């Protein structure tokens, strides 16, 4: 209860501060008396623009898991007042998964008013302070961003509900969650040669928001305090240093008795379930003549989490190096990357993995007709696995220290060639060739065993012909995929053809395409797939447009069983 009252005070304080900020901003602007007539004219009093869209999807076919009908309503509306205030409003409404309940609702309503250098976010919105604190988590509440143009200090603040309370539903399943409230802010000081920033984020769950306590599902009411510091230094011409440190204090179950709080912040909860996480990222970039060098280091503690994000990459240590340079009057560009990564930083896992990554890109544009791109990447992952039975069955502590050494090797090569056959006022012709190769292998005991190597080849050729006066476009292509592995060889191939055009002063467009592919394993055909797609678009009354898409697919197998799907998508948009 005290936490709820405290949060309401903070929310009220944020809103009150926001009102004061708007009042101060309005007062600080000098009003030009000679411009009052223009400013308060009818055309500038209120102006509204934006757009709305309605989408519907109808499905009939043999896939029972798909919904037969789906609809999505989206819109963005911007209100201009007196040529001074901008009040954008957006919404997203749909019936996706209508039989389930969610801690974060898929339907969204938001308002984003802007005045001068002040922007507010109200409703179902998201903000990002740092990748280690608040990072894109949706919340229902309010936020503000302050970015004065000529003032070096920037700031942003937020407060609201991150998760809605969601009770356990034995019939429909879904996610169980306590109601989660949060607030935070970030301040950044920016000068020409350096930047300093800090962020702070706090969130906690209301343990009384659920009638049934889901402890058996290992869902507990949590509390979190996360903060970060970052710095950017331009040491001298061509050299830039970036560094960021993050720390997250997560209390996994805030119902446990609290420990000593004498030396802690008033909003920091600590007890026996509290854990500390650390993260560090440093990058050094150097530009010398046309050469670009980069060094990077990142370390994130195992299980690093913040309640301000949906997903955090953790338990890793990265070392990276990159180099780039143009050659031959900038017609050739070369980029190289090297990286080393390892996990199991605290040595508590039964397996440890280290990875080497080498990548390179080469782009060649000798003239306007040719464009060639080549990319290569090599990946080597080494894993040391220790089975729990090695510890159970060991007779002394030095037995079976390394039970399984496992190395995974992978390399990828891709090449794309685009050639403009001809281009004039009547027509243009383009030819595109693409090829990719991927190989993966497993090495155990220093040897690559038979059956552990897989290779994947993919090739395609496409031709496009565009008649400029009539806007008729014809495309022809052929695709082939060949995959060889220990279980057998699989081949898929087939053609694709399409034609499209525009009519009635290019207000109406329509097109149709079809593809047919065959898949076989060890020379035996297993299934055939036919796709037919049709689409049309109509723009009318300058601001209205509709789009219709039809997709038919038929899959037939050698067993005699076949399935068909038909999907219709209708879209309407209105811009004003």
């Amino acid at each position: 209860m005290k936490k709820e009252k405290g949060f309401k005070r903070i929310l009220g304080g944020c809103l009150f501060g926001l009102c004061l900020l708007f009042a101060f901003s309005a007062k600080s602007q000098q009003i030009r008396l000679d411009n009052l007539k223009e400013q308060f004219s009818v055309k500038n009093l209120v102006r509204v623009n934006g757009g709305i869209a309605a989408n519907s999807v109808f499905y009939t076919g043999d896939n029972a898991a798909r919904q037969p009908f789906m609809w999505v309503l989206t819109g963005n509306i911007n209100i201009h007042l007196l040529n001074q205030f901008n009040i954008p409003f957006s919404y997203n409404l749909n019936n996706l998964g209508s039989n389930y309940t969610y801690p974060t609702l898929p339907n969204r309503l938001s308002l984003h008013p802007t005045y001068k250098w002040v922007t507010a976010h109200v409703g179902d919105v998201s903000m990002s302070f740092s990748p280690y604190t608040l990072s894109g988590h949706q919340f229902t509440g309010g936020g503000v961003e302050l970015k004065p143009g000529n003032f070096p200090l920037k700031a942003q603040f937020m407060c609201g509900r991150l998760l809605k309370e969601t009770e356990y539903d034995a019939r429909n399943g879904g996610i169980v969650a306590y109601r989660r409230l949060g607030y935070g802010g970030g301040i950044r000081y920016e000068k020409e040669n350096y930047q300093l920033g800090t962020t702070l984020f706090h969130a906690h769950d209301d343990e009384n928001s659920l009638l049934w306590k889901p402890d058996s599902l290992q869902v507990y009411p949590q509390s979190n305090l996360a903060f970060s510091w970052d710095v950017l230094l331009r040491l001298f011409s061509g050299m830039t240093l970036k560094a960021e440190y993050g720390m997250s204090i997560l209390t996994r179950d805030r119902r446990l008795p609290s420990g000593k709080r004498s030396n802690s912040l008033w909003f920091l909860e600590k007890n026996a379930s509290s854990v500390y996480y650390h993260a560090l990222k440093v990058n050094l970039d150097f530009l010398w003549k046309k050469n670009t060098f980069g060094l990077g280091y990142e370390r994130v503690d195992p299980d690093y989490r913040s309640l301000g994000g949906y997903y955090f990459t953790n338990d890793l240590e990265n070392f990276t190096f990159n180099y780039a340079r143009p050659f031959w009057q900038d017609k050739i560009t070369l980029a190289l990357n090297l990286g080393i990564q390892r996990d199991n930083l605290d040595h508590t896992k039964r397996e440890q993995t280290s990875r080497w990554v080498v990548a390179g890109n080469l782009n060649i544009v000798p003239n306007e007709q040719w464009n060639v791109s080549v990319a290569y990447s090599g990946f080597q992952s080494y894993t040391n696995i220790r089975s729990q039975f090695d510890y159970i069955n060991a007779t002394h502590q030095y037995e079976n220290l390394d039970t399984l050494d496992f190395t995974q090797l992978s390399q990828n090569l891709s090449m794309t060639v685009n050639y403009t056959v001809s281009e004039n006022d009547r027509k243009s012709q383009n030819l595109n060739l693409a090829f990719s190769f991927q190989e993966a292998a497993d090495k155990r005991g220093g040897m690559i065993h038979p059956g552990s190597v897989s290779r994947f080849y993919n090739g395609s050729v496409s031709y496009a012909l565009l008649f400029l006066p009539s806007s008729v476009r014809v495309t022809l292509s052929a695709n082939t995929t060949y995959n060889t592995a220990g279980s057998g060889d699989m081949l898929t191939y087939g053609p694709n053809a399409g034609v499209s055009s525009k009519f009635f002063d290019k207000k109406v467009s329509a097109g149709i395409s079809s593809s047919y592919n065959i898949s076989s394993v060890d020379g035996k055909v297993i299934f055939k797939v036919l796709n037919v797609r049709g689409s049309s678009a109509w723009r009318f009354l300058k601001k209205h447009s509709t789009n219709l898409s039809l997709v038919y697919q038929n899959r037939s197998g050698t067993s005699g069983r076949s399935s068909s799907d038909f999907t219709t998508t209708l879209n309407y948009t209105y811009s004003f």
Side-chain angles (χ1 to χ4, degrees), residues 26-40 84 115-116:
K27 185 178 180 181
S28 63
Q29 304 299 324
Q30 296 181 354
I31 301 177
R32 294 180 54 187
L33 297 178
D34 58 351
N35 196 36
L36 285 179
K37 183 177 180 181
E38 176 68 17
Q39 183 174 336
F40 288 94
Q84 297 290 323
Y115 177 70
K116 300 295 184 181

Side-chain angles (χ1 to χ4, degrees), residues 245-275:
Y245 168 76
M247 182 176 180
S248 177
I249 306 172
L250 180 67
T251 300
R252 301 179 185 274
D253 190 348
R254 59 191 301 253
R255 298 170 301 182
L256 299 179
S258 299
K260 295 182 179 180
R261 304 162 66 107
S262 57
N263 296 324
S264 61
L265 300 174
W266 66 271
F267 47 78
L268 173 60
E269 296 183 74
K270 293 194 299 183
N271 56 36
S273 68
S274 299
V275 289

Side-chain angles (χ1 to χ4, degrees), residues 296-437:
Y297 173 77
E298 183 178 15
R299 189 186 193 281
V300 183
D301 280 353
D303 300 323
Y304 187 100
R305 285 185 57 214
S306 165
L307 299 184
Y310 294 105
Y311 175 78
F312 290 90
T313 302
N314 57 71
D315 191 16
L316 61 88
E317 187 175 40
N318 285 334
F319 298 88
T320 58
F321 169 77
N322 59 76
Y323 170 78
R325 176 184 168 84
F327 299 92
W328 194 25
Q329 300 178 348
D330 297 343
K331 295 180 180 181
I332 299 178
T333 304
L334 174 66
L336 301 174
N337 296 273
L338 172 65
I340 306 173
Q341 183 184 98
R342 71 181 185 94
D343 64 358
N344 194 22
L345 302 183
D346 55 1
H347 305 288
T348 59
K349 296 180 180 178
R350 283 194 293 267
E351 62 180 64
Q352 180 175 350
T353 302
S354 59
R355 305 177 182 90
W356 285 77
V357 178
V358 179
N361 291 275
L362 181 65
N363 193 50
I364 305 173
V365 187
N367 50 51
E368 296 181 354
Q369 285 185 290
W370 290 92
N371 190 323
V372 181
S373 178
V374 181
Y376 172 82
S377 64
F379 176 88
Q380 177 174 317
S381 174
Y382 171 79
T383 304
N384 172 249
I385 302 176
R386 299 179 179 180
S387 170
Q388 64 270 26
F389 291 104
D390 296 335
Y391 300 94
I392 297 173
N393 300 327
T395 58
H396 55 83
Q397 60 179 337
Y398 301 108
E399 184 179 1
N400 295 326
L401 287 179
D402 296 321
T403 301
L404 176 60
D405 292 335
F406 176 80
T407 302
Q408 185 178 34
L409 307 173
S410 176
Q411 56 181 345
N412 302 270
L413 175 66
S414 63
M415 181 175 64
T416 302
V417 179
N418 188 64
Y419 174 63
T420 302
V421 180
S422 64
E423 188 172 10
N424 51 46
D425 296 337
R426 295 181 56 255
K427 64 181 180 180
S428 67
Q429 302 179 77
N430 287 276
L431 182 65
N432 180 271
L433 301 174
F435 171 78
S436 63
F437 167 75

Side-chain angles (χ1 to χ4, degrees), residues 51-91:
I52 59 175
N55 296 272
S56 58
V57 180
F58 303 87
Y59 171 78
T60 58
D62 299 323
N63 188 354
R66 287 192 57 177
Q67 291 183 218
F69 174 68
M70 295 184 296
W71 57 266
V72 179
L73 301 177
T74 59
N76 294 278
I77 302 172
N78 194 18
I79 303 175
H80 305 265
L81 300 178
L82 304 176
N83 265 351
Q84 297 290 323
F85 294 92
N86 291 327
I87 308 178
F89 170 77
S90 63
Y91 65 88

Side-chain angles (χ1 to χ4, degrees), residues 110 114 144 176:
S110 60
T114 301
V144 60
V176 182

